Protein backbone atom coordinates (compact mmCIF):
# COMPACT_ATOMS: atom_id res chain seq x y z
CA UNK A 1 0.00 0.00 0.00
CA UNK A 2 1.28 3.46 -0.91
CA UNK A 3 1.93 5.85 1.94
CA UNK A 4 -0.42 8.81 1.76
CA UNK A 5 -0.56 11.85 4.03
CA UNK A 6 -4.03 12.47 5.42
CA UNK A 7 -3.12 15.86 6.89
CA UNK A 8 -2.27 18.08 3.87
CA UNK A 9 1.28 19.45 3.81
CA UNK A 10 0.11 22.95 2.87
CA UNK A 11 -1.03 23.53 6.46
CA UNK A 12 2.68 23.85 7.28
CA UNK A 13 3.31 26.56 4.67
CA UNK A 14 3.44 29.52 7.13
CA UNK A 15 6.22 27.81 9.12
CA UNK A 16 8.09 26.85 5.95
CA UNK A 17 7.67 30.41 4.62
CA UNK A 18 9.14 32.08 7.73
CA UNK A 19 11.94 29.49 7.73
CA UNK A 20 12.85 30.22 4.09
CA UNK A 21 12.67 34.00 4.66
CA UNK A 22 15.11 33.62 7.57
CA UNK A 23 17.54 31.62 5.42
CA UNK A 24 17.37 34.27 2.67
CA UNK A 25 17.83 37.01 5.29
CA UNK A 26 20.87 35.22 6.76
CA UNK A 27 22.42 34.63 3.32
CA UNK A 28 21.97 38.31 2.44
CA UNK A 29 23.81 39.31 5.62
CA UNK A 30 26.88 37.25 4.64
CA UNK A 31 29.72 37.26 5.51
CA UNK A 32 29.05 36.85 9.23
CA UNK A 33 31.86 37.97 11.55
CA UNK A 34 34.31 35.23 12.69
CA UNK A 35 33.68 36.00 16.30
CA UNK A 36 30.70 37.70 17.89
CA UNK A 37 28.67 37.52 21.08
CA UNK A 38 26.57 34.33 21.05
CA UNK A 39 25.10 34.48 24.54
CA UNK A 40 23.55 37.37 26.45
CA UNK A 41 22.47 38.01 30.02
CA UNK A 42 18.97 39.10 30.99
CA UNK A 43 19.77 42.77 30.24
CA UNK A 44 21.06 41.94 26.79
CA UNK A 45 24.75 42.36 27.68
CA UNK A 46 26.95 39.78 25.95
CA UNK A 47 28.44 37.12 28.26
CA UNK A 48 29.58 34.49 25.77
CA UNK A 49 31.54 34.81 22.52
CA UNK A 50 31.98 32.44 19.60
CA UNK A 51 31.21 32.00 15.94
CA UNK A 52 27.75 33.35 15.05
CA UNK A 53 27.44 30.32 12.77
CA UNK A 54 26.93 28.10 15.85
CA UNK A 55 23.81 29.96 17.01
CA UNK A 56 22.60 30.28 13.42
CA UNK A 57 23.01 26.54 12.84
CA UNK A 58 21.28 25.65 16.13
CA UNK A 59 18.30 27.90 15.32
CA UNK A 60 17.92 26.62 11.76
CA UNK A 61 18.32 22.93 12.67
CA UNK A 62 15.84 23.29 15.55
CA UNK A 63 13.34 25.02 13.23
CA UNK A 64 13.62 22.23 10.69
CA UNK A 65 13.23 19.64 13.46
CA UNK A 66 10.06 21.35 14.73
CA UNK A 67 8.56 21.43 11.23
CA UNK A 68 9.23 17.70 10.73
CA UNK A 69 7.89 16.88 14.21
CA UNK A 70 4.78 18.91 13.47
CA UNK A 71 4.19 17.03 10.19
CA UNK A 72 4.35 13.75 12.12
CA UNK A 73 2.08 14.93 14.98
CA UNK A 74 -0.49 16.43 12.60
CA UNK A 75 -0.59 13.21 10.60
CA UNK A 76 -1.25 11.25 13.80
CA UNK A 77 -4.01 13.69 14.71
CA UNK A 78 -5.65 13.47 11.26
CA UNK A 79 -5.59 9.68 11.32
CA UNK A 80 -7.38 9.64 14.65
CA UNK A 81 -10.05 12.14 13.60
CA UNK A 82 -13.58 10.86 13.16
CA UNK A 83 -14.90 14.25 12.04
CA UNK A 84 -13.32 17.61 11.28
CA UNK A 85 -11.97 19.21 14.42
CA UNK A 86 -9.66 22.14 15.01
CA UNK A 87 -6.16 20.69 15.34
CA UNK A 88 -4.52 23.09 17.78
CA UNK A 89 -1.31 21.00 17.65
CA UNK A 90 -0.91 22.11 14.00
CA UNK A 91 0.04 25.57 15.35
CA UNK A 92 3.04 24.05 17.14
CA UNK A 93 5.52 24.48 14.29
CA UNK A 94 4.30 27.99 13.40
CA UNK A 95 4.67 29.26 16.98
CA UNK A 96 8.06 27.66 17.63
CA UNK A 97 9.59 28.32 14.20
CA UNK A 98 8.41 31.94 14.01
CA UNK A 99 9.84 32.57 17.50
CA UNK A 100 13.19 31.07 16.56
CA UNK A 101 13.33 32.76 13.18
CA UNK A 102 12.34 36.18 14.58
CA UNK A 103 15.17 35.87 17.12
CA UNK A 104 17.55 34.93 14.31
CA UNK A 105 16.47 37.91 12.18
CA UNK A 106 16.90 40.28 15.14
CA UNK A 107 20.30 38.73 15.88
CA UNK A 108 21.51 39.21 12.30
CA UNK A 109 20.31 42.84 12.47
CA UNK A 110 22.24 43.29 15.71
CA UNK A 111 25.41 41.88 14.11
CA UNK A 112 24.98 44.31 11.20
CA UNK A 113 24.55 47.29 13.57
CA UNK A 114 27.76 46.27 15.45
CA UNK A 115 26.33 47.51 18.78
CA UNK A 116 26.56 44.25 20.60
CA UNK A 117 23.63 44.65 22.98
CA UNK A 118 20.78 42.18 22.49
CA UNK A 119 17.75 42.44 24.77
CA UNK A 120 15.09 39.86 23.94
CA UNK A 121 13.62 41.14 20.66
CA UNK A 122 9.92 41.26 21.65
CA UNK A 123 9.20 43.86 18.98
CA UNK A 124 10.19 41.39 16.24
CA UNK A 125 9.08 38.14 17.88
CA UNK A 126 5.52 39.17 18.82
CA UNK A 127 4.34 40.56 15.45
CA UNK A 128 6.06 37.79 13.42
CA UNK A 129 4.59 35.05 15.64
CA UNK A 130 1.14 36.69 15.59
CA UNK A 131 1.05 37.00 11.79
CA UNK A 132 2.38 33.50 11.12
CA UNK A 133 0.08 31.92 13.72
CA UNK A 134 -2.95 33.78 12.33
CA UNK A 135 -2.07 32.45 8.86
CA UNK A 136 -1.78 28.94 10.28
CA UNK A 137 -5.19 29.25 12.00
CA UNK A 138 -6.74 30.35 8.69
CA UNK A 139 -5.20 27.37 6.88
CA UNK A 140 -6.17 24.93 9.61
CA UNK A 141 -9.78 26.13 9.40
CA UNK A 142 -9.75 25.48 5.65
CA UNK A 143 -8.24 22.01 6.02
CA UNK A 144 -10.67 19.42 4.66
CA UNK A 145 -11.55 16.32 6.66
CA UNK A 146 -10.26 13.15 5.07
CA UNK A 147 -11.37 9.79 6.33
CA UNK A 148 -8.56 7.41 7.23
CA UNK A 149 -9.44 3.80 6.61
CA UNK A 150 -8.22 1.85 9.61
CA UNK A 151 -7.56 -1.81 9.54
CA UNK A 152 -9.45 -2.98 12.58
CA UNK A 153 -8.81 -6.56 13.55
CA UNK A 154 -11.24 -7.63 16.20
CA UNK A 155 -10.09 -10.82 17.75
CA UNK A 156 -12.35 -13.76 18.33
CA UNK A 157 -11.98 -14.74 21.98
CA UNK A 158 -14.34 -17.77 22.00
CA UNK A 159 -11.54 -20.24 22.37
CA UNK A 160 -9.67 -18.33 25.05
CA UNK A 161 -12.96 -17.85 26.92
CA UNK A 162 -13.52 -21.62 27.11
CA UNK A 163 -9.96 -22.10 28.24
CA UNK A 164 -10.29 -19.35 30.86
CA UNK A 165 -13.50 -20.81 32.25
CA UNK A 166 -11.79 -24.14 32.83
CA UNK A 167 -8.74 -22.45 34.37
CA UNK A 168 -10.92 -20.27 36.59
CA UNK A 169 -12.55 -23.33 38.12
CA UNK A 170 -9.31 -25.25 38.49
CA UNK A 171 -7.69 -22.75 40.87
CA UNK A 172 -4.27 -23.34 39.23
CA UNK A 173 -1.71 -20.54 39.17
CA UNK A 174 -1.93 -18.65 35.90
CA UNK A 175 -0.27 -15.69 34.29
CA UNK A 176 -1.23 -13.66 31.24
CA UNK A 177 1.50 -11.47 29.81
CA UNK A 178 1.72 -9.06 26.91
CA UNK A 179 3.95 -6.18 25.89
CA UNK A 180 3.72 -2.90 24.01
CA UNK A 181 7.13 -2.16 22.60
CA UNK A 182 6.89 -0.33 19.26
CA UNK A 183 9.99 0.40 17.17
CA UNK A 184 9.92 4.14 17.96
CA UNK A 185 10.13 3.42 21.70
CA UNK A 186 13.17 1.22 21.15
CA UNK A 187 14.83 3.99 19.14
CA UNK A 188 14.04 6.55 21.82
CA UNK A 189 15.70 4.32 24.40
CA UNK A 190 18.84 3.63 22.33
CA UNK A 191 19.53 6.27 19.68
CA UNK A 192 18.46 9.33 21.70
CA UNK A 193 20.70 8.47 24.69
CA UNK A 194 23.58 7.74 22.30
CA UNK A 195 23.16 11.18 20.70
CA UNK A 196 22.85 12.85 24.10
CA UNK A 197 26.05 11.13 25.34
CA UNK A 198 27.97 12.28 22.25
CA UNK A 199 26.77 15.89 22.67
CA UNK A 200 27.53 15.68 26.41
CA UNK A 201 31.14 14.70 25.67
CA UNK A 202 31.52 17.52 23.14
CA UNK A 203 30.12 20.20 25.50
CA UNK A 204 31.86 18.83 28.62
CA UNK A 205 34.73 21.34 28.63
CA UNK A 206 32.43 24.34 28.11
CA UNK A 207 29.30 23.57 30.08
CA UNK A 208 29.78 20.65 32.45
CA UNK A 209 26.39 21.11 34.14
CA UNK A 210 24.62 20.79 30.77
CA UNK A 211 26.61 17.63 30.01
CA UNK A 212 25.64 16.11 33.35
CA UNK A 213 21.99 16.99 32.70
CA UNK A 214 22.16 15.37 29.25
CA UNK A 215 23.82 12.24 30.65
CA UNK A 216 21.08 11.95 33.31
CA UNK A 217 18.33 12.38 30.71
CA UNK A 218 20.11 9.82 28.49
CA UNK A 219 20.31 7.31 31.34
CA UNK A 220 16.66 7.93 32.16
CA UNK A 221 15.70 7.22 28.54
CA UNK A 222 17.81 4.04 28.48
CA UNK A 223 15.80 2.71 31.41
CA UNK A 224 12.64 2.82 29.29
CA UNK A 225 14.10 0.15 26.96
CA UNK A 226 11.65 -2.72 26.67
CA UNK A 227 8.45 -0.65 26.59
CA UNK A 228 5.37 -1.41 28.68
CA UNK A 229 4.38 -4.86 29.89
CA UNK A 230 1.03 -5.92 31.26
CA UNK A 231 0.89 -8.87 33.61
CA UNK A 232 -2.31 -10.46 34.86
CA UNK A 233 -2.26 -13.04 37.63
CA UNK A 234 -4.97 -14.36 39.92
CA UNK A 235 -4.19 -11.58 42.41
CA UNK A 236 -3.43 -8.50 40.38
CA UNK A 237 -3.09 -6.60 37.13
CA UNK A 238 0.32 -4.94 36.85
CA UNK A 239 1.77 -2.58 34.24
CA UNK A 240 5.57 -2.41 34.25
CA UNK A 241 8.04 -0.31 32.29
CA UNK A 242 11.55 -0.59 30.94
CA UNK A 243 14.63 -2.63 31.77
CA UNK A 244 14.13 -2.52 35.51
CA UNK A 245 10.45 -3.39 35.32
CA UNK A 246 9.40 -0.29 37.24
CA UNK A 247 5.79 -0.76 38.37
CA UNK A 248 3.56 1.92 36.86
CA UNK A 249 0.26 0.47 37.96
CA UNK A 250 -0.81 -2.34 40.23
CA UNK A 251 -4.47 -3.12 40.74
CA UNK A 252 -5.62 -5.91 43.00
CA UNK A 253 -8.17 -8.17 41.35
CA UNK A 254 -10.51 -7.59 44.32
CA UNK A 255 -10.48 -3.82 43.55
CA UNK A 256 -11.53 -4.26 39.92
CA UNK A 257 -15.20 -4.07 39.02
CA UNK A 258 -15.06 -4.18 35.22
CA UNK A 259 -12.72 -4.48 32.23
CA UNK A 260 -13.81 -3.63 28.72
CA UNK A 261 -12.24 -2.90 25.34
CA UNK A 262 -11.96 0.84 24.78
CA UNK A 263 -11.05 2.68 21.58
CA UNK A 264 -9.45 6.11 21.91
CA UNK A 265 -7.52 8.79 20.01
CA UNK A 266 -4.06 9.05 21.62
CA UNK A 267 -3.25 12.62 20.57
CA UNK A 268 -6.75 14.05 20.90
CA UNK A 269 -7.81 12.31 24.10
CA UNK A 270 -4.47 12.20 25.89
CA UNK A 271 -2.14 14.54 24.00
CA UNK A 272 0.41 11.86 23.17
CA UNK A 273 1.72 8.46 24.14
CA UNK A 274 3.18 7.05 27.36
CA UNK A 275 1.83 7.61 30.86
CA UNK A 276 -1.12 9.92 30.38
CA UNK A 277 -3.99 11.46 32.28
CA UNK A 278 -7.24 13.08 31.35
CA UNK A 279 -10.28 14.11 33.35
CA UNK A 280 -11.77 10.63 33.06
CA UNK A 281 -8.88 8.23 33.52
CA UNK A 282 -5.21 7.44 33.86
CA UNK A 283 -3.71 5.77 30.79
CA UNK A 284 -0.67 3.65 29.94
CA UNK A 285 0.02 3.03 26.26
CA UNK A 286 2.79 3.27 23.69
CA UNK A 287 1.05 2.10 20.58
CA UNK A 288 -2.26 1.75 18.76
CA UNK A 289 -5.61 3.28 19.58
CA UNK A 290 -7.28 0.54 21.56
CA UNK A 291 -6.88 -0.78 25.05
CA UNK A 292 -8.73 -2.08 28.06
CA UNK A 293 -10.57 0.28 30.37
CA UNK A 294 -10.46 -1.04 33.92
CA UNK A 295 -12.80 0.42 36.55
CA UNK A 296 -12.20 -0.02 40.26
CA UNK A 297 -14.54 -0.13 43.24
CA UNK A 298 -13.25 3.31 44.34
CA UNK A 299 -14.62 4.73 41.09
CA UNK A 300 -11.23 5.23 39.42
CA UNK A 301 -10.67 4.33 35.78
CA UNK A 302 -7.47 3.15 34.14
CA UNK A 303 -6.71 2.56 30.49
CA UNK A 304 -4.17 -0.12 29.65
CA UNK A 305 -3.04 0.03 26.01
CA UNK A 306 -2.90 -3.33 24.30
CA UNK A 307 -2.13 -4.92 20.95
CA UNK A 308 -4.71 -7.62 21.80
CA UNK A 309 -7.38 -5.74 23.78
CA UNK A 310 -10.09 -8.40 23.35
CA UNK A 311 -7.82 -11.06 24.79
CA UNK A 312 -6.63 -8.88 27.68
CA UNK A 313 -10.20 -7.82 28.55
CA UNK A 314 -11.35 -11.46 28.40
CA UNK A 315 -8.59 -12.57 30.77
CA UNK A 316 -9.17 -9.80 33.32
CA UNK A 317 -12.96 -10.24 33.19
CA UNK A 318 -12.66 -14.02 33.61
CA UNK A 319 -10.49 -13.65 36.71
CA UNK A 320 -12.55 -10.82 38.22
CA UNK A 321 -15.99 -12.40 37.77
CA UNK B 1 0.62 -15.18 26.33
CA UNK B 2 -1.34 -17.25 28.80
CA UNK B 3 0.57 -19.72 30.95
CA UNK B 4 -0.80 -21.92 33.68
CA UNK B 5 0.59 -24.70 35.82
CA UNK B 6 -1.45 -27.79 36.44
CA UNK B 7 -0.60 -29.66 39.65
CA UNK B 8 -2.55 -32.69 38.43
CA UNK B 9 -0.46 -32.93 35.26
CA UNK B 10 2.25 -35.58 35.70
CA UNK B 11 4.57 -33.79 33.24
CA UNK B 12 7.30 -31.58 34.69
CA UNK B 13 6.53 -27.86 34.87
CA UNK B 14 9.07 -26.86 32.19
CA UNK B 15 7.43 -29.24 29.70
CA UNK B 16 4.03 -27.76 30.57
CA UNK B 17 5.28 -24.24 29.91
CA UNK B 18 7.05 -25.16 26.65
CA UNK B 19 3.93 -27.06 25.53
CA UNK B 20 1.63 -24.09 26.12
CA UNK B 21 3.93 -21.68 24.28
CA UNK B 22 4.10 -24.11 21.36
CA UNK B 23 0.33 -24.44 21.25
CA UNK B 24 -0.11 -20.67 21.20
CA UNK B 25 2.42 -20.33 18.38
CA UNK B 26 0.66 -23.08 16.43
CA UNK B 27 -2.76 -21.43 16.95
CA UNK B 28 -1.34 -18.09 15.75
CA UNK B 29 -1.93 -16.31 19.07
CA UNK B 30 1.79 -15.75 19.31
CA UNK B 31 3.30 -14.47 16.08
CA UNK B 32 6.87 -14.20 14.83
CA UNK B 33 8.59 -11.29 16.59
CA UNK B 34 6.18 -11.29 19.55
CA UNK B 35 7.98 -10.86 22.85
CA UNK B 36 7.85 -13.30 25.73
CA UNK B 37 8.14 -12.33 29.39
CA UNK B 38 11.58 -12.34 30.92
CA UNK B 39 12.57 -15.47 32.84
CA UNK B 40 12.47 -13.58 36.13
CA UNK B 41 9.04 -12.04 35.46
CA UNK B 42 7.40 -15.31 34.46
CA UNK B 43 8.97 -17.31 37.27
CA UNK B 44 8.05 -14.62 39.82
CA UNK B 45 4.41 -14.43 38.82
CA UNK B 46 3.94 -18.20 38.68
CA UNK B 47 5.84 -18.74 41.92
CA UNK B 48 8.31 -21.18 40.38
CA UNK B 49 12.08 -21.38 40.06
CA UNK B 50 13.81 -19.28 37.38
CA UNK B 51 15.71 -22.37 36.19
CA UNK B 52 12.42 -24.04 35.32
CA UNK B 53 11.42 -21.18 33.02
CA UNK B 54 14.93 -20.98 31.56
CA UNK B 55 14.80 -24.70 30.84
CA UNK B 56 11.45 -24.33 29.06
CA UNK B 57 12.78 -21.42 26.97
CA UNK B 58 15.94 -23.28 26.00
CA UNK B 59 13.88 -26.27 24.83
CA UNK B 60 11.89 -23.91 22.62
CA UNK B 61 15.07 -22.30 21.37
CA UNK B 62 16.58 -25.68 20.52
CA UNK B 63 13.49 -26.39 18.46
CA UNK B 64 13.98 -23.06 16.62
CA UNK B 65 10.71 -21.65 17.95
CA UNK B 66 12.27 -18.92 20.09
CA UNK B 67 15.17 -16.56 19.58
CA UNK B 68 16.85 -15.36 22.71
CA UNK B 69 20.28 -14.11 23.47
CA UNK B 70 21.86 -13.14 26.72
CA UNK B 71 20.40 -9.89 28.02
CA UNK B 72 17.66 -9.78 25.42
CA UNK B 73 13.96 -10.36 25.60
CA UNK B 74 12.94 -13.76 24.21
CA UNK B 75 11.03 -13.47 20.93
CA UNK B 76 9.01 -15.87 18.82
CA UNK B 77 11.11 -16.94 15.82
CA UNK B 78 9.74 -16.74 12.30
CA UNK B 79 8.13 -20.04 11.45
CA UNK B 80 9.53 -22.26 8.74
CA UNK B 81 7.84 -21.86 5.39
CA UNK B 82 8.82 -25.35 4.18
CA UNK B 83 7.74 -28.54 5.96
CA UNK B 84 10.64 -30.29 7.68
CA UNK B 85 12.51 -33.04 5.82
CA UNK B 86 12.00 -36.71 6.69
CA UNK B 87 15.28 -36.91 8.54
CA UNK B 88 14.40 -33.95 10.74
CA UNK B 89 10.95 -35.36 11.48
CA UNK B 90 12.50 -38.70 12.38
CA UNK B 91 14.78 -37.11 14.99
CA UNK B 92 12.12 -34.80 16.38
CA UNK B 93 9.12 -37.11 16.58
CA UNK B 94 10.21 -40.75 16.34
CA UNK B 95 10.81 -41.32 20.01
CA UNK B 96 7.59 -39.62 21.04
CA UNK B 97 5.56 -41.55 18.45
CA UNK B 98 7.06 -44.81 19.66
CA UNK B 99 6.23 -43.98 23.25
CA UNK B 100 2.72 -42.94 22.32
CA UNK B 101 2.11 -46.17 20.38
CA UNK B 102 3.41 -48.29 23.25
CA UNK B 103 1.11 -46.48 25.69
CA UNK B 104 -1.86 -46.87 23.34
CA UNK B 105 -1.29 -50.60 22.85
CA UNK B 106 -0.76 -51.12 26.59
CA UNK B 107 -4.12 -49.41 27.17
CA UNK B 108 -5.59 -52.01 24.84
CA UNK B 109 -6.26 -49.80 21.82
CA UNK B 110 -6.27 -51.45 18.42
CA UNK B 111 -4.35 -49.94 15.51
CA UNK B 112 -7.68 -48.69 14.05
CA UNK B 113 -8.73 -47.12 17.36
CA UNK B 114 -5.43 -45.34 17.49
CA UNK B 115 -5.77 -44.06 13.92
CA UNK B 116 -9.30 -42.82 14.63
CA UNK B 117 -8.12 -41.07 17.75
CA UNK B 118 -5.40 -39.25 15.81
CA UNK B 119 -7.83 -38.26 13.05
CA UNK B 120 -10.30 -36.96 15.59
CA UNK B 121 -7.61 -34.77 17.18
CA UNK B 122 -6.52 -33.40 13.79
CA UNK B 123 -10.14 -32.56 12.93
CA UNK B 124 -10.55 -30.78 16.26
CA UNK B 125 -7.56 -28.58 15.45
CA UNK B 126 -8.97 -27.79 12.02
CA UNK B 127 -12.30 -26.76 13.60
CA UNK B 128 -10.51 -24.50 16.04
CA UNK B 129 -8.58 -22.82 13.23
CA UNK B 130 -11.85 -21.95 11.44
Amino acid sequence: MRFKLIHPLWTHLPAILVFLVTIVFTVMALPLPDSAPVHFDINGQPNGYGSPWISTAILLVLSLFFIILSVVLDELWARQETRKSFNWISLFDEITVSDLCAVQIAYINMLASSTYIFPFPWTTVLPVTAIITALAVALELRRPYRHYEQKLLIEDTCQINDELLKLKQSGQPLVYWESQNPAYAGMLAVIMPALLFIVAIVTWSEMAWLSILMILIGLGLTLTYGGFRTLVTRDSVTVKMGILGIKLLRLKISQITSAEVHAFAPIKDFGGYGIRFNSEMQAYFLNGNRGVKVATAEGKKYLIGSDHPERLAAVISAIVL
Amino acid sequence: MLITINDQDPRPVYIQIAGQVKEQIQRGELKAGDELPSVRELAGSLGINMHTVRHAYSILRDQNLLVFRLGQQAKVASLRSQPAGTKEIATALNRQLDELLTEAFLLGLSADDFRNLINEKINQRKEQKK
Side-chain angles (χ1 to χ4, degrees):
Chain A
M1 203 179 76
R2 244 187 86 233
F3 181 77
K4 197 169 164 248
L5 280 180
I6 302 292
H7 202 288
L9 271 181
W10 51 256
T11 54
H12 302 279
L13 277 179
I16 295 169
L17 180 79
V18 73
F19 179 66
L20 291 178
V21 166
T22 310
I23 290 182
V24 171
F25 200 84
T26 310
V27 169
M28 278 167 59
L30 290 181
L32 296 179
D34 289 339
S35 176
V38 286
H39 199 267
F40 301 86
D41 65 12
I42 197 142
N43 302 315
Q45 297 296 330
N47 59 6
Y49 289 82
S51 166
W53 277 112
I54 295 175
S55 58
T56 304
I58 290 175
L59 282 169
L60 295 182
V61 169
L62 260 183
S63 300
L64 203 60
F65 172 72
F66 285 144
I67 292 174
I68 294 167
L69 187 66
S70 187
V71 170
V72 175
L73 288 176
D74 287 358
E75 186 59 19
L76 283 173
W77 177 288
R79 288 184 177 201
Q80 291 162 13
E81 240 178 6
T82 48
R83 63 192 162 79
K84 169 74 202 247
S85 55
F86 187 81
N87 176 8
W88 52 270
I89 291 180
S90 77
L91 306 181
F92 167 74
D93 57 343
E94 274 78 16
I95 294 174
T96 51
V97 173
S98 53
D99 276 1
L100 289 172
C101 288
V103 169
Q104 170 68 7
I105 289 171
Y107 180 67
I108 296 285
N109 273 336
M110 181 218 63
L111 288 182
S113 72
S114 64
T115 51
Y116 286 165
I117 298 168
F118 192 56
F120 192 78
W122 292 110
T123 46
T124 326
V125 170
L126 286 179
V128 171
T129 308
I131 293 166
I132 295 297
T133 310
L135 264 176
V137 170
L139 287 181
E140 171 57 29
L141 287 171
R142 294 193 64 81
R143 174 176 67 91
Y145 168 69
R146 289 182 195 159
H147 179 67
Y148 176 63
E149 201 70 50
Q150 287 194 22
K151 271 193 276 171
L152 194 63
L153 289 171
I154 295 180
E155 229 173 308
D156 175 18
T157 52
C158 283
Q159 204 185 331
I160 201 165
N161 281 337
D162 292 345
E163 212 174 305
L164 284 165
L165 199 71
K166 276 186 231 153
L167 284 178
K168 166 93 183 147
Q169 288 154 355
S170 72
Q172 297 155 6
L174 73 90
V175 55
Y176 176 81
W177 186 96
E178 64 169 52
S179 70
Q180 275 211 315
N181 190 13
Y184 83 84
M187 271 165 37
L188 212 64
V190 178
I191 295 175
M192 273 298 275
L195 285 176
L196 281 169
F197 292 151
I198 293 169
V199 178
I201 292 167
V202 173
T203 55
W204 182 258
S205 57
E206 291 183 24
M207 275 182 276
W209 64 272
L210 192 67
S211 298
I212 292 169
L213 189 71
M214 281 194 278
I215 290 170
L216 288 178
I217 294 172
L219 285 176
L221 283 173
T222 316
L223 292 183
T224 65
Y225 185 77
F228 287 0
R229 275 107 57 195
T230 308
L231 209 116
V232 185
T233 63
R234 276 191 193 276
D235 311 318
S236 63
V237 177
T238 316
V239 180
K240 293 181 180 181
M241 181 194 81
I243 291 183
L244 301 179
I246 299 162
K247 273 186 200 130
L248 300 177
L249 175 71
R250 188 185 158 88
L251 294 171
K252 284 198 184 127
I253 290 292
S254 56
Q255 281 178 280
I256 298 173
T257 51
S258 73
E260 56 192 35
V261 177
H262 179 75
F264 58 98
I267 305 279
K268 233 175 127 186
D269 297 346
F270 295 100
Y273 293 80
I275 306 165
R276 297 273 151 184
F277 304 88
N278 71 10
S279 54
E280 199 196 343
M281 58 190 135
Q282 218 165 304
Y284 305 87
F285 57 89
L286 289 178
N287 197 15
N289 55 1
R290 293 194 315 143
V292 175
K293 188 159 86 175
V294 179
T296 65
E298 296 96 71
K300 282 191 175 164
K301 284 180 188 143
Y302 300 92
L303 177 66
I304 303 171
S306 170
D307 297 345
H308 310 282
E310 285 85 13
R311 225 185 285 173
L312 180 60
V315 174
I316 301 178
S317 307
I319 297 175
V320 169
L321 295 175
Chain B
M1 187 179 86
L2 184 67
I3 298 284
T4 165
I5 292 169
N6 187 351
D7 302 337
Q8 313 293 319
D9 195 331
R11 295 177 303 163
V13 172
Y14 69 90
I15 302 262
Q16 289 188 36
I17 295 175
Q20 288 173 61
V21 175
K22 273 191 217 173
E23 243 173 69
Q24 286 171 52
I25 294 175
Q26 195 263 325
R27 285 205 298 250
E29 284 171 24
L30 283 176
K31 294 187 180 68
D34 277 1
E35 286 176 352
L36 264 67
S38 70
V39 170
R40 180 191 295 269
E41 224 164 26
L42 189 58
S45 39
L46 285 170
I48 55 174
N49 198 303
M50 291 216 290
H51 291 298
T52 313
V53 178
R54 202 168 287 134
H55 198 164
Y57 279 13
S58 46
I59 287 177
L60 293 166
R61 183 181 54 186
D62 293 345
Q63 294 180 351
N64 295 326
L65 292 169
L66 282 195
V67 201
F68 88 104
R69 291 181 207 96
L70 195 70
Q72 269 191 2
Q73 197 94 9
K75 278 184 185 160
V76 177
S78 28
L79 286 182
R80 52 169 76 246
S81 47
Q82 298 282 320
T86 6
K87 206 177 160 194
E88 226 177 309
I89 295 171
T91 38
L93 296 179
N94 247 359
R95 194 175 53 82
Q96 287 163 38
L97 278 175
D98 279 340
E99 273 174 17
L100 194 64
L101 265 179
T102 314
E103 292 271 343
F105 291 150
L106 281 175
L107 285 169
L109 255 65
S110 70
D112 280 337
D113 288 342
F114 185 72
R115 254 181 235 122
N116 289 339
L117 199 66
I118 297 280
N119 279 336
E120 210 175 292
K121 281 279 170 198
I122 292 173
N123 287 338
Q124 259 179 23
R125 287 273 161 124
K126 278 185 189 160
E127 285 290 314
Q128 282 173 359
K129 273 226 153 168
K130 278 176 198 166

